[in-house]
């Protein structure tokens, strides 16, 4: 369990770097692309270490798991993830130019400006509650913490862009559906894209069907 805790701590610490003065210093030293490449490799290595440590850690139950929660939550998580990946997002690294478009908040961005992060939040939160044991609290809790904090930290970094970000922030919200509920935006079903939703649901069906083969446990 100590190795898993160390792996999770290292993974979280690594992802705090982009929000510290260390990032611009590293970028100035080795360049933007090499930094992003090294960061991606380090992130992948961190995830592999976490998975291996998670597999080796003993099972320590903490509460009765809500076993069917992931089955209900994962379709929405995958819709957010797939739509977020397939939609140009001004909050992404190097994508600030998208803020200057006439309609910078379209599709899934009308619902939340951080669809990928919220997809990860739903995935991690559902599995954490479903499993109800210590190693899942460490593993999924790390992703839950990073995704939640990431939405706030990305907003703080983009706020430095000034008026173009202020305009975008007025049209969107971090919390899903908040901007729509407040009348600052509207839900446009056609912009969500039928193809994206179909891909997400097909991905859910594949993962559900092959879950025990892929992850060694039955789907909840």
């Amino acid at each position: 369990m100590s190795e898993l805790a160390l792996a999770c701590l290292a993974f979280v610490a690594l992802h705090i770097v982009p929000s510290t003065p260390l990032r611009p210093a590293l970028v100035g030293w080795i360049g933007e692309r090499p930094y992003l490449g090294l960061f991606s490799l380090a992130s992948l290595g961190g995830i592999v270490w976490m998975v291996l440590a998670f597999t080796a850690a003993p099972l320590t139950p903490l509460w009765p798991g809500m076993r069917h929660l992931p089955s209900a939550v994962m379709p929405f998580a995958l819709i957010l993830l797939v739509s977020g990946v397939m939609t140009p997002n001004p909050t992404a690294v190097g994508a600030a130019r998208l803020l200057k478009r006439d309609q910078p908040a379209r599709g899934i961005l009308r619902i939340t400006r951080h669809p990928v992060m919220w997809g990860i939040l739903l995935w991690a939160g559902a599995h954490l509650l479903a499993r109800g044991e210590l190693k899942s609290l460490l593993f999924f809790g790390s992703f839950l913490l990073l995704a939640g904090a990431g939405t706030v930290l990305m907003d703080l970094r983009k706020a430095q862009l000034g008026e173009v970000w202020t305009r975008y922030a007025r049209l969107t919200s971090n919390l899903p559906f908040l901007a729509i509920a407040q009348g600052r935006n509207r839900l446009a079903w056609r912009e969500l894209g039928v193809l994206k939703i179909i891909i997400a649901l097909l991905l859910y069906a594949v993962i559900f069907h092959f879950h025990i083969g892929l992850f060694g446990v039955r789907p909840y």
Side-chain angles (χ1 to χ4, degrees):
M1 194 69 72
S2 59
E3 182 180 357
L4 176 59
L6 182 61
C8 292
L9 181 61
F11 186 72
V12 171
L14 173 67
H15 286 78
I16 293 176
V17 170
S19 300
T20 68
L22 184 58
R23 183 190 186 280
L26 290 172
V27 170
W29 181 35
I30 63 175
E32 181 76 20
R33 288 190 177 182
Y35 165 80
L36 292 175
L38 289 174
F39 182 81
S40 299
L41 287 175
S43 296
L44 179 60
I47 291 174
V48 171
W49 185 19
M50 288 174 66
V51 170
L52 293 175
F54 177 84
T55 303
L59 189 65
T60 308
L62 297 176
W63 65 80
M66 303 169 64
R67 298 184 60 82
H68 297 287
L69 184 61
S71 298
V73 171
M74 282 308 295
F76 301 101
L78 288 170
I79 289 173
L80 286 167
L81 284 167
V82 171
S83 298
V85 169
M86 296 179 66
T87 301
N89 193 331
T91 65
V93 175
R97 66 187 184 282
L98 298 175
L99 292 170
K100 298 179 181 179
R101 297 186 304 182
D102 291 338
Q103 292 184 319
R106 293 177 59 83
I108 197 69
L109 302 180
R110 294 181 183 272
I111 295 175
T112 171
R113 56 178 171 260
H114 300 297
V116 172
M117 291 293 101
W118 275 96
I120 294 173
L121 277 164
L122 289 179
W123 163 75
H127 284 77
L128 189 158
L129 292 173
R131 296 182 63 90
E133 30 91 7
L134 180 58
K135 67 177 183 177
S136 291
L137 181 62
L138 292 171
F139 183 84
F140 293 109
S142 296
F143 287 98
L144 194 69
L145 173 64
L146 281 176
T151 62
V152 177
L153 293 174
M154 283 189 286
D155 283 357
L156 291 175
R157 289 200 302 270
K158 294 296 182 179
Q160 299 174 6
L161 297 174
E163 179 57 32
V164 288
W165 173 257
T166 301
R167 179 175 72 103
Y168 183 67
R170 283 198 298 263
L171 295 172
T172 59
S173 62
N174 182 350
L175 189 67
F177 294 103
L178 180 61
I180 295 172
Q182 293 178 338
R184 295 185 283 117
N185 210 321
R186 60 183 178 83
L187 186 60
W189 291 105
R190 291 184 179 180
E191 290 180 9
L192 292 178
V194 174
L195 179 60
K196 297 172 187 175
I197 295 176
I198 290 175
I199 291 174
L201 295 179
L202 286 175
L203 182 59
Y204 169 74
V206 170
I207 292 175
F208 187 89
H209 184 74
F210 294 103
H211 200 280
I212 191 169
L214 290 170
F215 306 110
V217 293
R218 295 186 182 278
Y220 299 102

